[in-house]
Short mmCIF file of all heavy atoms in Angstrom, two decimals:
data_model
loop_
_atom_site.label_atom_id
_atom_site.label_comp_id
_atom_site.label_asym_id
_atom_site.label_seq_id
_atom_site.Cartn_x
_atom_site.Cartn_y
_atom_site.Cartn_z
N VAL A 271 168.07 -65.61 66.35
CA VAL A 271 168.64 -66.85 66.84
C VAL A 271 167.83 -67.28 68.05
O VAL A 271 167.54 -66.46 68.93
CB VAL A 271 170.12 -66.66 67.23
CG1 VAL A 271 170.69 -67.94 67.80
CG2 VAL A 271 170.92 -66.21 66.03
N SER A 272 167.48 -68.54 68.11
CA SER A 272 166.70 -69.05 69.22
C SER A 272 167.53 -70.06 70.00
O SER A 272 168.13 -70.96 69.42
CB SER A 272 165.43 -69.72 68.69
OG SER A 272 164.72 -70.29 69.76
N PHE A 273 167.56 -69.89 71.33
CA PHE A 273 168.28 -70.82 72.18
C PHE A 273 167.31 -71.47 73.14
O PHE A 273 166.37 -70.85 73.62
CB PHE A 273 169.37 -70.08 72.97
CG PHE A 273 170.46 -69.53 72.11
CD1 PHE A 273 170.54 -68.18 71.85
CD2 PHE A 273 171.38 -70.38 71.54
CE1 PHE A 273 171.54 -67.68 71.05
CE2 PHE A 273 172.40 -69.89 70.74
CZ PHE A 273 172.48 -68.54 70.49
N ASN A 274 167.57 -72.76 73.43
CA ASN A 274 166.72 -73.49 74.36
C ASN A 274 167.07 -73.19 75.81
O ASN A 274 166.20 -73.11 76.66
CB ASN A 274 166.85 -74.99 74.12
CG ASN A 274 166.39 -75.39 72.74
OD1 ASN A 274 165.53 -74.75 72.16
ND2 ASN A 274 166.95 -76.45 72.20
N ASN A 275 168.36 -73.03 76.10
CA ASN A 275 168.84 -72.80 77.46
C ASN A 275 169.88 -71.69 77.42
O ASN A 275 170.57 -71.51 76.42
CB ASN A 275 169.50 -74.07 78.02
CG ASN A 275 168.56 -75.24 78.06
OD1 ASN A 275 167.61 -75.25 78.84
ND2 ASN A 275 168.79 -76.23 77.22
N PHE A 276 170.03 -70.98 78.55
CA PHE A 276 171.05 -69.94 78.64
C PHE A 276 171.51 -69.82 80.08
O PHE A 276 170.69 -69.89 81.01
CB PHE A 276 170.49 -68.59 78.19
CG PHE A 276 171.50 -67.48 78.31
CD1 PHE A 276 172.42 -67.27 77.32
CD2 PHE A 276 171.51 -66.66 79.44
CE1 PHE A 276 173.38 -66.26 77.43
CE2 PHE A 276 172.45 -65.65 79.56
CZ PHE A 276 173.38 -65.45 78.56
N ALA A 277 172.81 -69.64 80.27
CA ALA A 277 173.38 -69.38 81.59
C ALA A 277 174.65 -68.56 81.42
O ALA A 277 175.33 -68.67 80.39
CB ALA A 277 173.70 -70.70 82.30
N ALA A 278 174.96 -67.73 82.41
CA ALA A 278 176.17 -66.90 82.34
C ALA A 278 176.79 -66.79 83.73
O ALA A 278 176.09 -66.89 84.74
CB ALA A 278 175.84 -65.52 81.80
N ALA A 279 178.11 -66.60 83.74
CA ALA A 279 178.83 -66.46 85.00
C ALA A 279 180.07 -65.60 84.80
O ALA A 279 180.68 -65.62 83.73
CB ALA A 279 179.24 -67.83 85.54
N LYS A 280 180.43 -64.88 85.84
CA LYS A 280 181.67 -64.10 85.83
C LYS A 280 182.84 -65.08 85.89
O LYS A 280 182.78 -66.10 86.58
CB LYS A 280 181.71 -63.17 87.03
CG LYS A 280 182.91 -62.23 87.02
CD LYS A 280 183.06 -61.43 88.29
CE LYS A 280 181.88 -60.58 88.61
NZ LYS A 280 182.13 -59.69 89.77
N ILE A 281 183.91 -64.77 85.18
CA ILE A 281 185.12 -65.58 85.21
C ILE A 281 186.08 -64.92 86.19
O ILE A 281 186.46 -63.76 86.01
CB ILE A 281 185.78 -65.66 83.82
CG1 ILE A 281 184.81 -66.24 82.78
CG2 ILE A 281 187.07 -66.46 83.89
CD1 ILE A 281 185.29 -66.10 81.35
N HIS A 282 186.46 -65.64 87.23
CA HIS A 282 187.41 -65.11 88.22
C HIS A 282 188.82 -65.51 87.81
O HIS A 282 189.08 -66.65 87.46
CB HIS A 282 187.07 -65.64 89.62
CG HIS A 282 185.74 -65.17 90.09
ND1 HIS A 282 185.54 -63.93 90.64
CD2 HIS A 282 184.53 -65.77 90.05
CE1 HIS A 282 184.27 -63.79 90.95
NE2 HIS A 282 183.63 -64.89 90.59
N ALA A 283 189.73 -64.55 87.88
CA ALA A 283 191.09 -64.73 87.39
C ALA A 283 191.98 -65.44 88.42
O ALA A 283 192.81 -64.83 89.08
CB ALA A 283 191.69 -63.40 87.01
N SER A 284 191.76 -66.73 88.57
CA SER A 284 192.60 -67.55 89.44
C SER A 284 192.40 -69.00 89.03
O SER A 284 191.43 -69.32 88.34
CB SER A 284 192.21 -67.37 90.91
OG SER A 284 190.91 -67.90 91.13
N SER A 285 193.29 -69.87 89.46
CA SER A 285 193.11 -71.29 89.13
C SER A 285 191.83 -71.82 89.77
O SER A 285 191.10 -72.60 89.17
CB SER A 285 194.32 -72.12 89.55
OG SER A 285 194.57 -71.96 90.93
N GLU A 286 191.50 -71.34 90.97
CA GLU A 286 190.25 -71.74 91.62
C GLU A 286 189.05 -71.20 90.85
O GLU A 286 188.04 -71.88 90.67
CB GLU A 286 190.21 -71.22 93.06
CG GLU A 286 188.93 -71.59 93.79
CD GLU A 286 188.89 -70.97 95.18
OE1 GLU A 286 189.78 -71.31 95.99
OE2 GLU A 286 187.97 -70.18 95.44
N GLY A 287 189.15 -69.97 90.36
CA GLY A 287 188.07 -69.37 89.58
C GLY A 287 187.83 -70.11 88.28
O GLY A 287 186.68 -70.34 87.88
N LEU A 288 188.91 -70.52 87.62
CA LEU A 288 188.76 -71.28 86.37
C LEU A 288 188.17 -72.67 86.66
O LEU A 288 187.36 -73.17 85.88
CB LEU A 288 190.09 -71.37 85.64
CG LEU A 288 190.61 -70.03 85.10
CD1 LEU A 288 192.00 -70.19 84.50
CD2 LEU A 288 189.65 -69.41 84.11
N ALA A 289 188.54 -73.26 87.78
CA ALA A 289 187.95 -74.55 88.17
C ALA A 289 186.45 -74.39 88.44
O ALA A 289 185.64 -75.24 88.05
CB ALA A 289 188.66 -75.12 89.39
N ARG A 290 186.06 -73.29 89.09
CA ARG A 290 184.64 -73.02 89.34
C ARG A 290 183.87 -72.83 88.03
O ARG A 290 182.72 -73.23 87.90
CB ARG A 290 184.46 -71.80 90.23
CG ARG A 290 184.69 -72.09 91.69
CD ARG A 290 184.18 -70.96 92.55
NE ARG A 290 184.70 -69.67 92.12
CZ ARG A 290 185.42 -68.85 92.86
NH1 ARG A 290 185.70 -69.17 94.09
NH2 ARG A 290 185.85 -67.71 92.38
N THR A 291 184.53 -72.21 87.04
CA THR A 291 183.90 -72.01 85.73
C THR A 291 183.65 -73.35 85.06
O THR A 291 182.58 -73.57 84.48
CB THR A 291 184.78 -71.11 84.84
OG1 THR A 291 184.96 -69.86 85.51
CG2 THR A 291 184.14 -70.86 83.50
N ARG A 292 184.60 -74.26 85.15
CA ARG A 292 184.41 -75.61 84.59
C ARG A 292 183.29 -76.35 85.34
O ARG A 292 182.46 -77.02 84.73
CB ARG A 292 185.71 -76.40 84.60
CG ARG A 292 186.74 -75.86 83.61
CD ARG A 292 187.95 -76.77 83.49
NE ARG A 292 188.65 -76.96 84.75
CZ ARG A 292 189.61 -76.16 85.22
NH1 ARG A 292 190.00 -75.11 84.52
NH2 ARG A 292 190.20 -76.43 86.37
N ALA A 293 183.25 -76.19 86.66
CA ALA A 293 182.19 -76.84 87.45
C ALA A 293 180.82 -76.24 87.10
O ALA A 293 179.83 -76.98 87.00
CB ALA A 293 182.47 -76.67 88.94
N PHE A 294 180.76 -74.93 86.89
CA PHE A 294 179.53 -74.26 86.45
C PHE A 294 179.07 -74.86 85.12
O PHE A 294 177.89 -75.17 84.93
CB PHE A 294 179.80 -72.76 86.32
CG PHE A 294 178.73 -72.00 85.57
CD1 PHE A 294 177.54 -71.66 86.19
CD2 PHE A 294 178.94 -71.62 84.26
CE1 PHE A 294 176.57 -70.95 85.50
CE2 PHE A 294 177.97 -70.91 83.57
CZ PHE A 294 176.78 -70.58 84.19
N THR A 295 180.00 -75.03 84.20
CA THR A 295 179.68 -75.59 82.89
C THR A 295 179.15 -77.02 83.03
O THR A 295 178.13 -77.38 82.45
CB THR A 295 180.93 -75.57 81.98
OG1 THR A 295 181.38 -74.22 81.85
CG2 THR A 295 180.64 -76.16 80.61
N ARG A 296 179.84 -77.83 83.82
CA ARG A 296 179.42 -79.22 84.05
C ARG A 296 178.01 -79.27 84.63
O ARG A 296 177.17 -80.07 84.21
CB ARG A 296 180.42 -79.91 84.98
CG ARG A 296 180.21 -81.39 85.13
CD ARG A 296 181.32 -82.05 85.98
NE ARG A 296 182.59 -82.01 85.28
CZ ARG A 296 183.64 -81.24 85.64
NH1 ARG A 296 183.55 -80.46 86.70
NH2 ARG A 296 184.76 -81.27 84.95
N SER A 297 177.73 -78.37 85.58
CA SER A 297 176.40 -78.32 86.21
C SER A 297 175.33 -77.94 85.20
O SER A 297 174.24 -78.55 85.18
CB SER A 297 176.42 -77.32 87.36
OG SER A 297 175.15 -77.15 87.90
N CYS A 298 175.61 -76.95 84.36
CA CYS A 298 174.64 -76.55 83.33
C CYS A 298 174.35 -77.70 82.39
O CYS A 298 173.19 -78.00 82.07
CB CYS A 298 175.16 -75.35 82.53
SG CYS A 298 175.18 -73.81 83.45
N LEU A 299 175.39 -78.37 81.94
CA LEU A 299 175.21 -79.48 80.99
C LEU A 299 174.41 -80.62 81.62
O LEU A 299 173.58 -81.24 80.97
CB LEU A 299 176.57 -79.97 80.49
CG LEU A 299 177.34 -78.96 79.64
CD1 LEU A 299 178.75 -79.46 79.37
CD2 LEU A 299 176.62 -78.64 78.35
N ARG A 300 174.65 -80.87 82.90
CA ARG A 300 173.89 -81.91 83.61
C ARG A 300 172.42 -81.50 83.68
O ARG A 300 171.53 -82.31 83.39
CB ARG A 300 174.46 -82.11 85.02
CG ARG A 300 173.85 -83.27 85.76
CD ARG A 300 174.48 -83.52 87.14
NE ARG A 300 175.93 -83.49 87.12
CZ ARG A 300 176.68 -82.56 87.75
NH1 ARG A 300 176.11 -81.59 88.43
NH2 ARG A 300 178.00 -82.61 87.69
N GLN A 301 172.15 -80.24 84.02
CA GLN A 301 170.77 -79.73 84.09
C GLN A 301 170.07 -79.83 82.74
O GLN A 301 168.87 -80.06 82.67
CB GLN A 301 170.79 -78.27 84.51
CG GLN A 301 170.22 -78.00 85.85
CD GLN A 301 170.24 -76.50 86.12
OE1 GLN A 301 171.11 -75.76 85.69
NE2 GLN A 301 169.23 -76.07 86.86
N TRP A 302 170.80 -79.61 81.68
CA TRP A 302 170.26 -79.60 80.32
C TRP A 302 170.30 -80.98 79.66
O TRP A 302 170.00 -81.12 78.48
CB TRP A 302 171.01 -78.59 79.46
CG TRP A 302 170.94 -77.19 79.96
CD1 TRP A 302 169.99 -76.64 80.79
CD2 TRP A 302 171.86 -76.13 79.69
NE1 TRP A 302 170.27 -75.32 81.04
CE2 TRP A 302 171.42 -74.97 80.37
CE3 TRP A 302 173.04 -76.05 78.93
CZ2 TRP A 302 172.10 -73.76 80.32
CZ3 TRP A 302 173.71 -74.83 78.88
CH2 TRP A 302 173.24 -73.71 79.57
N ASN A 303 170.67 -82.02 80.44
CA ASN A 303 170.77 -83.39 79.95
C ASN A 303 171.70 -83.51 78.75
O ASN A 303 171.41 -84.19 77.77
CB ASN A 303 169.37 -83.95 79.60
CG ASN A 303 168.50 -84.05 80.82
OD1 ASN A 303 168.92 -84.53 81.87
ND2 ASN A 303 167.28 -83.54 80.72
N LEU A 304 172.86 -82.86 78.85
CA LEU A 304 173.85 -82.88 77.77
C LEU A 304 175.20 -83.41 78.26
O LEU A 304 176.26 -83.00 77.78
CB LEU A 304 174.01 -81.48 77.18
CG LEU A 304 172.79 -80.93 76.45
CD1 LEU A 304 172.99 -79.48 76.07
CD2 LEU A 304 172.50 -81.78 75.21
N GLU A 305 175.16 -84.35 79.20
CA GLU A 305 176.40 -84.92 79.73
C GLU A 305 177.24 -85.58 78.64
O GLU A 305 178.45 -85.66 78.75
CB GLU A 305 176.12 -85.94 80.83
CG GLU A 305 175.57 -85.34 82.10
CD GLU A 305 174.05 -85.44 82.17
OE1 GLU A 305 173.39 -85.52 81.11
OE2 GLU A 305 173.52 -85.42 83.28
N ALA A 306 176.60 -86.06 77.57
CA ALA A 306 177.32 -86.76 76.50
C ALA A 306 178.37 -85.87 75.82
O ALA A 306 179.35 -86.38 75.28
CB ALA A 306 176.34 -87.29 75.46
N VAL A 307 178.18 -84.57 75.84
CA VAL A 307 179.14 -83.66 75.19
C VAL A 307 179.96 -82.88 76.22
O VAL A 307 180.68 -81.95 75.86
CB VAL A 307 178.44 -82.69 74.21
CG1 VAL A 307 177.83 -83.44 73.05
CG2 VAL A 307 177.42 -81.81 74.92
N SER A 308 179.87 -83.27 77.49
CA SER A 308 180.52 -82.47 78.53
C SER A 308 182.03 -82.40 78.37
O SER A 308 182.61 -81.34 78.59
CB SER A 308 180.14 -82.95 79.92
OG SER A 308 180.62 -84.25 80.15
N SER A 309 182.69 -83.46 77.97
CA SER A 309 184.15 -83.42 77.82
C SER A 309 184.57 -82.37 76.80
O SER A 309 185.48 -81.57 77.05
CB SER A 309 184.70 -84.78 77.41
OG SER A 309 184.50 -85.71 78.43
N ASP A 310 183.92 -82.37 75.64
CA ASP A 310 184.28 -81.40 74.59
C ASP A 310 183.92 -79.98 75.02
O ASP A 310 184.73 -79.06 74.84
CB ASP A 310 183.56 -81.74 73.27
CG ASP A 310 184.12 -82.97 72.60
OD1 ASP A 310 185.17 -83.49 73.03
OD2 ASP A 310 183.51 -83.43 71.62
N VAL A 311 182.74 -79.79 75.58
CA VAL A 311 182.32 -78.44 75.98
C VAL A 311 183.23 -77.91 77.08
O VAL A 311 183.67 -76.75 77.03
CB VAL A 311 180.84 -78.41 76.42
CG1 VAL A 311 180.46 -77.06 77.00
CG2 VAL A 311 179.94 -78.76 75.25
N ILE A 312 183.55 -78.73 78.06
CA ILE A 312 184.42 -78.28 79.16
C ILE A 312 185.82 -77.97 78.65
O ILE A 312 186.44 -76.99 79.10
CB ILE A 312 184.42 -79.31 80.31
CG1 ILE A 312 183.04 -79.28 81.00
CG2 ILE A 312 185.53 -79.02 81.31
CD1 ILE A 312 182.79 -80.42 81.96
N ALA A 313 186.33 -78.73 77.69
CA ALA A 313 187.64 -78.42 77.11
C ALA A 313 187.60 -77.07 76.38
O ALA A 313 188.51 -76.25 76.52
CB ALA A 313 188.07 -79.53 76.16
N VAL A 314 186.55 -76.84 75.61
CA VAL A 314 186.41 -75.56 74.89
C VAL A 314 186.27 -74.41 75.89
O VAL A 314 186.93 -73.37 75.77
CB VAL A 314 185.22 -75.61 73.91
CG1 VAL A 314 184.85 -74.22 73.41
CG2 VAL A 314 185.54 -76.54 72.74
N VAL A 315 185.42 -74.57 76.89
CA VAL A 315 185.24 -73.54 77.91
C VAL A 315 186.56 -73.27 78.64
O VAL A 315 186.92 -72.12 78.90
CB VAL A 315 184.13 -73.93 78.91
CG1 VAL A 315 184.19 -73.10 80.19
CG2 VAL A 315 182.77 -73.79 78.25
N GLY A 316 187.29 -74.32 78.94
CA GLY A 316 188.59 -74.15 79.61
C GLY A 316 189.53 -73.28 78.80
O GLY A 316 190.19 -72.38 79.34
#
């Protein structure tokens, strides 16, 4: 399997930690020029 981009982060067990995970996802998608799918990806990640 070949991937163009990859990023990983620890998930912290708190509402703040889950918010940081969504922000991490949003930042990755922005870096990868994939803002068009950010709503769906962030919902799935959530």
